[in-house]
Every structure is written in structure tokens, then in C-alpha cells.
Amino acid sequence: MIARTLKDKASLLRPLKDEHLLEVYREAKKMNLSNEFIELLEDAIEVRNLEHRLKA
């Protein structure tokens, strides 16, 4: 079985609304959760072109 890429895994976050995704990302960073999980969130944010909203 081929390992899923981060982009494939990020698609699992599709049901989350944009603001919820950003909120989960901010909380994950605050809680110092695993790098893999944070990278997954960052990839989902990138796919949605929401990077600019992280700075707001």
C-alpha cells in the first residue's frame, strides 16, 4: 500500500470551514502538537490559499 501524501491527508480536513481550520492550526501551535499534524494543517491551509489569514 502506498503511503498517503500530506496533500491527500489534508483533503480529509475538507469538511472544516476555513475559520475552524485556522483556529485548529493556531491551537495546535499553542499546544505544541506533533510536527506531522501541524504540517498537515499547514498543507490544508495552503491548498485553500488561506496563508494570508494566518497573519491577521
Side-chain angles (χ1 to χ4, degrees), residues 12-26:
L12 298 172
L13 299 171
R14 217 177 285 139
L16 282 179
K17 293 182 180 183
D18 291 349
E19 195 52 49
H20 291 151
L21 174 61
L22 294 169
E23 182 178 340
V24 169
Y25 173 77
R26 289 182 190 111

